[in-house]
Amino acid sequence: MRALPLFALLLIAMPSLSMAADRDGDGVPDDLDNCLAVANASQVNSDHDRFGNACDGDVDQSGTTDAVDRKLLAAEVGARRPR
C-alpha cells in the first residue's frame, strides 16, 4: 500500500476555506462571518459587539433590540429617503 503525501493528508484532515459554508456569498466563511444573512465582506463592526454593522439591530447600544431601536432605525431610514 502506497502512503499518501503529507499535503494530501492535510487536505483530508482540514477542510479548506473554499469549501466552507458561506450562506450570504460575501467570501467570508460562516464560522468567521459576523453577519450571516447580509453580505458584508468588510466585516465592519463599529461597536465591537458580536454583530457586523450590516445586521446590527441594537441601534442605541442598550444590549437588546427593542421598540426604541426600531424607532431610531425608522427615523434614520426615513431621513435618507429622497423626497
Side-chain angles (χ1 to χ4, degrees), residues 4-36:
L4 287 174
L6 180 59
F7 71 89
L9 290 173
L10 289 174
L11 287 175
I12 292 168
M14 296 173 34
S16 71
L17 290 179
S18 64
M19 294 173 61
D22 179 17
R23 287 180 271 179
D24 59 10
D26 62 5
V28 179
D30 288 349
D31 59 342
L32 300 174
D33 201 331
N34 63 12
C35 186
L36 295 173

Side-chain angles (χ1 to χ4, degrees), residues 15-76:
S16 71
L17 290 179
S18 64
M19 294 173 61
D22 179 17
R23 287 180 271 179
D24 59 10
D26 62 5
V28 179
D30 288 349
D31 59 342
L32 300 174
D33 201 331
N34 63 12
C35 186
L36 295 173
V38 179
N40 63 328
S42 68
Q43 298 294 290
V44 173
N45 182 8
S46 300
D47 59 3
H48 307 289
D49 62 2
R50 297 180 322 194
F51 305 102
N53 289 3
C55 61
D56 191 347
D58 186 12
V59 180
D60 66 356
Q61 303 307 312
S62 66
T64 61
T65 303
D66 55 20
V68 173
D69 295 302
R70 288 189 288 279
K71 287 179 184 177
L72 290 169
L73 183 59
E76 180 65 24

